[in-house]
Amino acid sequence: MRTLTAATTLAVLFSSVALAAGPAFADSSKTLPVRATGDIVVDGVHQRVFVSDPLNGKIVVTDYAGTVVKQLTANLSGVSGLELSADSGTLYAAVRDLDAIAVFDTATGTETTRYAVGDKPESVALAGGKLWFGYGAAAAGGIGSVDLTSEGHEVTLDQSRDWYAAPLLDATPGSDILVAGALGQSPVTLASYDVSSGTATKLASTSEAGSNLGDLQLTPDGKDVVVASGSPNYQQVFRTSDLNEDGTYDTDSYPNSVAIAPDGTLAAGIDGSYEPDVYVFRPGSGEPVRTYDFPNTGTSSGSDLLADSGLAWSPDGSRLFAVTSNNEGVYALRVLTSPTKAVTTVTVDAPATAARGKKLTVKGKATSKTALPAGTKLTVTRTDLESPQGKALASAVTKADGTFSFTDTPPAGGKVTYKAAFAGDAGHAAGSGSDAVTVSRAKASLTLNNNGKVFAYGKDVKFTAHLGTTYKNRTVEIWSDPYGPDKPNKLVKSGKADAHGNVSVTLDLKRDARLTAKFAGDARYQPATATSTVGAQVSVSSSVGGHYQAKSTWGHTYYFFHKSKDPLITTRMPYYPGRKQKFEFEVYYQGRWYPGDPAYFALGSDGVSKVRINGDHGKDVGWRFRVRSSYINASSGDTVNSTTHGAWKYFTFTK
């Protein structure tokens, strides 16, 4: 079982003294490379935690953060109970499957010796200058000892044969009282012994210690033993002198662990999926000062479970270590910091909205399981656009019921957060709370020109955003979002408005685009945006091939073809996936142009589309024709440009 430091005997004398406030640490959890756990002890000198794993036959060593620093694996099959010497220099481990007790140097982690003892040792405890161990298989349990003061370290068995199987042992370091409890029995048999003579002389026994023993530990003064059994639903306390009941610690169903700090602070644990797992009681108090409810890291509906005998204190009481597992068999070492301090909850209630420059009132309350005294000061911080890192305000002071209030005149608009924080003290953990209020701001004027205009392909267009009056921020961003999924929205200009309030950028327009001007706002003016949607035409050019001459006639340039030659119309425009050109064909008759049915022809990846006009051109001699290629938004296969018509090309046929 757990061993406290040599200072234990002195700590008992000062158990009423509050623990000194230390530095604040955050609770943490680290995975343990184990398949099961038997016991846990804490070495305060080297700041190491030892956890036995009987299934893997090893002892895992971590630092105070729970990080594994070493694994002791020298043939430890069935290793279970652990005990530390008073100076934390030696670790004793009961190795059940090897009928032995292994002894380790804690500084180096090396095994220094091994004692061959009785059949299947389960637990170890130091008392009266000897190392005591509970041993024995079914129907053969007993208590034995190793004389650590003699040169030969003699082993004595059969100090007590009143046990069905190997009992669980514990003792207060430096005392002559040993307590044993029966594992796996219902009801639990509990016995106390005086070992001052070197032999175990029974003081008392009882069968009133519940059923399914999970853990037991003596108080630092050796006066009482606290028992965690599966039932009843609380940790029982018995006087070691006569094993009469001497109080209870109310927890919940299935108690399975108990750990007592040098000052008498008690941590009581249960095997519960839906209730708090650990309850911390200050010396002499029947109400827990703090509880811990572990999270669920597995796949079940319930939380991770505390292991039997899975709690241990650091000797200075600053940390409580807990071994847990989830339903997938993953074990963890949880490091619970400041466990003796009551949790402090601070709530803050600010108005939902307020006017800038007008006084407002913020209310709140600080609560804890151990009430904070009236007059407790809380630091108050206001965070806003003017003070993004926070500005300290006058402290708030609690009343007798924990309530507090303060007033403030917010100089900045927007989201304003008020935080009230209690720094903590010897008996209370730090706590804080916050609430936000939306403070009014004036509207900012922002415009952007060119909305609705259409420009030629590749035109350099100047866009100007105009920002009206603001407080401090004069920066405007201009974003351009060209049409089409392949072109992302992009910041094209960010700058401060000039003396006229303008920020401009010139863009080479090759697609329709949505331009957005953005003003982020400041402490007195709201954010603002302005948009401008502009069109960009495509460049369309067509050339005529196959003619024998071209001349100006009938008001246009006409291309002349022999009736045996087919005109070839080559059109070029910017390529876009799936893009097609609209091809129109018209004939002139009696003073009017008459259209034929238009057709759409796909562009090649080079942006070229060639259309050959074939047929019996002998019938076309003397007639006048014209053709035109166009890009039609949507109809041409995409919507990234504005509709653009090419120039008409005129031609006729001769004999």
Side-chain angles (χ1 to χ4, degrees):
M1 294 298 291
R2 288 158 292 277
T3 297
L4 308 177
T5 66
T8 297
T9 54
L10 294 177
V12 175
L13 300 177
F14 301 100
S15 61
S16 62
V17 179
L19 292 174
F25 300 95
D27 294 344
S28 62
S29 176
K30 297 288 182 64
T31 300
L32 286 173
V34 300
R35 293 168 55 205
T37 59
D39 201 3
I40 174 174
V41 294
V42 181
D43 172 3
V45 174
H46 305 102
Q47 295 199 345
R48 292 291 184 260
V49 180
F50 298 87
V51 180
S52 61
D53 176 1
L55 290 184
N56 281 328
K58 64 182 179 180
I59 299 172
V60 176
V61 187
T62 78
D63 59 18
Y64 267 20
T67 302
V68 176
V69 296
K70 193 177 299 183
Q71 297 189 53
L72 312 181
T73 58
N75 191 14
L76 299 175
S77 177
V79 63
S80 183
L82 303 176
E83 181 75 306
L84 278 170
S85 61
D87 62 1
S88 290
T90 304
L91 174 69
Y92 301 95
V95 187
R96 183 178 57 236
D97 296 345
L98 304 179
D99 301 336
I101 295 174
V103 183
F104 294 88
D105 182 322
T106 56
T108 63
T110 57
E111 185 174 357
T112 58
T113 189
R114 184 170 292 193
Y115 304 131
V117 296
D119 183 35
K120 301 187 182 304
E122 185 73 31
S123 62
V124 283
L126 288 166
K130 291 188 175 184
L131 177 67
W132 299 85
F133 55 92
Y135 70 97
I143 297 175
S145 65
V146 180
D147 189 348
L148 300 178
T149 62
S150 70
E151 184 177 346
H153 291 174
E154 291 82 7
V155 174
T156 303
L157 301 179
D158 298 333
Q159 295 268 8
S160 172
R161 297 297 298 178
D162 301 332
W163 304 94
Y164 179 77
L168 183 63
L169 304 183
D170 191 48
T172 298
S175 78
D176 296 322
I177 300 298
L178 180 71
V179 173
L183 291 167
Q185 286 187 359
S186 181
V188 172
T189 298
L190 191 67
S192 60
Y193 300 88
D194 181 346
V195 296
S196 58
S197 65
T199 59
T201 302
K202 182 183 289 187
L203 297 175
S205 65
T206 182
S207 296
E208 302 298 323
S211 60
N212 298 317
L213 177 66
D215 199 4
L216 57 81
Q217 188 169 5
L218 273 73
T219 56
D221 58 6
K223 175 179 173 289
D224 290 310
V225 59
V226 183
V227 177
S229 296
S231 67
N233 297 337
Y234 50 83
Q235 269 76 353
Q236 296 173 281
V237 183
F238 298 91
R239 286 195 299 269
T240 55
S241 59
D242 55 17
L243 291 184
N244 288 328
E245 290 196 40
D246 198 23
T248 61
Y249 289 97
D250 291 334
T251 52
D252 213 310
S253 302
Y254 313 120
N256 71 339
S257 189
V258 59
I260 306 174
D263 72 339
T265 301
L266 181 137
I270 68 166
D271 180 13
S273 298
Y274 304 100
E275 306 83 15
D277 301 277
V278 178
Y279 304 73
V280 179
F281 298 85
R282 287 179 176 160
S285 174
E287 291 292 326
V289 67
R290 189 163 191 171
T291 61
Y292 291 90
D293 193 3
F294 297 136
N296 177 13
T297 64
T299 57
S300 65
S301 60
S303 67
D304 290 6
L305 299 177
L306 178 68
D308 288 357
S309 300
L311 293 174
W313 290 91
S314 62
D316 63 1
S318 66
R319 295 169 177 81
L320 178 63
F321 299 93
V323 177
T324 64
S325 64
N326 63 23
N327 69 305
E328 296 180 330
V330 177
Y331 283 78
L333 179 64
R334 300 185 182 275
V335 184
L336 311 178
T337 59
S338 301
T340 60
K341 295 184 178 183
V343 173
T344 303
T345 301
V346 179
T347 57
V348 177
D349 183 18
T353 60
R356 191 188 65 80
K358 301 292 185 180
K359 183 181 290 186
L360 56 80
T361 299
V362 179
K363 300 178 181 180
K365 189 173 185 179
T367 58
S368 178
K369 283 194 173 183
T370 56
L372 294 167
T376 297
K377 289 187 176 181
L378 287 79
T379 60
V380 176
T381 306
R382 180 186 65 223
T383 303
D384 56 23
L385 292 172
E386 288 276 79
S387 305
Q389 302 304 315
K391 179 178 177 60
L393 305 181
S395 297
V397 179
T398 63
K399 298 178 181 179
D401 62 355
T403 60
F404 61 88
S405 66
F406 59 89
T407 61
D408 183 51
T409 302
K415 180 180 179 181
V416 179
T417 300
Y418 292 96
K419 177 181 178 181
F422 170 60
D425 57 24
H428 301 85
S432 65
S434 63
D435 196 15
V437 53
T438 300
V439 178
S440 62
R441 288 184 286 178
K443 289 185 177 180
S445 173
L446 183 66
T447 60
L448 184 62
N449 68 338
N450 292 328
N451 184 47
K453 295 181 179 180
V454 178
F455 299 93
Y457 182 83
K459 174 75 173 178
D460 288 339
V461 180
K462 183 178 181 180
F463 293 89
T464 299
H466 178 76
L467 179 65
T469 301
T470 61
Y471 177 46
K472 289 184 178 180
N473 184 16
R474 299 296 295 165
T475 298
V476 174
E477 293 180 351
I478 300 178
W479 292 73
S480 176
D481 188 8
Y483 281 32
D486 58 326
K487 296 287 186 181
N489 192 21
K490 183 179 179 181
L491 176 66
V492 292
K493 182 66 177 287
S494 177
K496 290 185 177 181
D498 62 19
H500 303 288
N502 296 329
V503 175
S504 299
V505 64
T506 299
L507 300 180
D508 180 19
L509 284 186
K510 293 183 177 179
R511 289 192 187 183
D512 295 352
R514 179 182 176 89
L515 280 293
T516 303
K518 298 180 180 181
F519 168 63
D522 58 26
R524 298 185 182 181
Y525 284 83
Q526 300 174 10
T529 60
T531 60
S532 177
T533 301
V534 296
Q537 296 179 325
V538 298
S539 61
V540 181
S541 65
S542 297
S543 61
V544 179
H547 57 284
Y548 66 87
Q549 75 169 0
K551 69 178 181 177
S552 179
T553 184
W554 299 306
H556 299 281
T557 296
Y558 271 78
Y559 297 89
F560 287 80
F561 290 85
H562 293 296
K563 66 179 181 180
S564 60
K565 195 72 172 178
D566 292 335
L568 178 65
I569 313 300
T570 300
T571 300
R572 288 177 172 82
M573 67 175 65
Y575 174 74
Y576 188 83
R579 178 168 287 184
K580 302 181 290 290
Q581 62 136 325
K582 180 183 180 182
F583 191 81
E584 298 175 272
F585 183 95
E586 294 186 354
V587 61
Y588 189 81
Y589 176 67
Q590 294 184 350
R592 287 182 55 194
W593 287 100
Y594 289 88
D597 293 332
Y600 282 86
F601 297 95
L603 296 178
S605 60
D606 56 356
V608 175
S609 174
K610 294 184 178 183
V611 178
R612 184 178 298 278
I613 302 173
N614 54 25
D616 183 1
H617 299 311
K619 298 179 181 180
D620 298 331
V621 172
W623 291 88
R624 292 153 56 186
F625 303 94
R626 69 178 184 180
V627 293
R628 182 174 70 174
S629 295
S630 302
Y631 166 84
I632 309 299
N633 183 275
S635 297
S636 285
D638 63 79
T639 59
V640 302
N641 285 99
S642 296
T643 294
T644 310
H645 296 290
W648 289 103
K649 297 295 182 180
Y650 298 83
F651 62 91
T652 187
F653 293 93
T654 63
K655 294 182 178 180

